[in-house]
Amino acid sequence: MAERSQRVLGAPMATNGVETSPDDNTRYTVGMDTYVLLDEVLNNAIRSVMVYDDFSNQFTDQDMSALAAVARYNTSLLAINMCGVNVGDHSVSLLCDALVRSKVRQIDFSNTYLDDQTGASLLALAHCNPNLRTVVVDDTLISEEMMDEIDLVCQYTDSGFE
């Protein structure tokens, strides 16, 4: 199998306006009680959620669904990085629905087993949320055609709504 380069849809990460320091990131690490992450998101204590895993089933669809429930009320998140977590398309769709009115500018689901259902949710989110500028879906099952559509919408996001 030929190795693919990372595909960043929309604005490059360096220019998408998400400047976070390590202090802005969640203190949650996979294996901790998920309530730590949910508390940080619900109380606007962080600007960036970063959950990395190795498909070991420690961050699941239930965790993602709970995150979606509290993200709906968050006003400070700018970036969500969920790389290599073991979640499905439905729970990611719930998260996308929750982020419609958010300030999130960057979403990364690299190395995650997601397909065009997630692609459609990300595309709908990009259409509805004028803040979303960068989507990274490297090493997923999202089709190239769907990636092209997401890329086009993110590139032409109207930044006048900020």
Side-chain angles (χ1 to χ4, degrees), residues 66-158:
L67 177 61
V70 297
R72 185 172 308 276
Y73 304 103
N74 183 286
T75 59
S76 66
L77 277 181
L78 297 178
I80 296 177
N81 297 306
M82 298 275 181
C83 301
V85 294
N86 188 25
V87 295
D89 296 294
H90 179 70
S91 62
V92 174
S93 295
L94 291 174
L95 180 63
C96 289
D97 288 344
L99 297 174
V100 168
R101 290 183 176 87
S102 72
K103 295 180 182 177
V104 169
R105 295 180 182 183
Q106 173 185 319
I107 296 177
D108 186 347
F109 283 114
S110 298
N111 197 28
T112 306
Y113 189 73
L114 301 170
D115 62 25
D116 280 344
Q117 181 181 348
T118 293
S121 297
L122 289 168
L123 180 60
L125 176 60
H127 275 291
C128 295
N129 186 333
N131 296 305
L132 185 61
R133 290 185 175 81
T134 305
V135 176
V136 183
V137 287
D138 190 39
D139 290 330
T140 64
L141 299 176
I142 297 174
S143 68
E144 289 293 322
E145 294 81 17
M146 185 67 69
M147 287 186 201
D148 291 342
E149 289 184 53
I150 296 168
D151 188 27
L152 184 65
V153 173
C154 287
Q155 284 183 25
Y156 295 103
T157 295
D158 183 3

Side-chain angles (χ1 to χ4, degrees), residues 20-32:
T20 60
S21 72
D23 292 336
D24 295 331
N25 297 332
T26 181
R27 308 283 184 274
Y28 172 83
T29 57
V30 174
M32 288 175 66

Side-chain angles (χ1 to χ4, degrees), residues 9-23:
L9 310 178
M13 285 198 236
T15 63
N16 68 6
V18 179
E19 297 175 19
T20 60
S21 72
D23 292 336

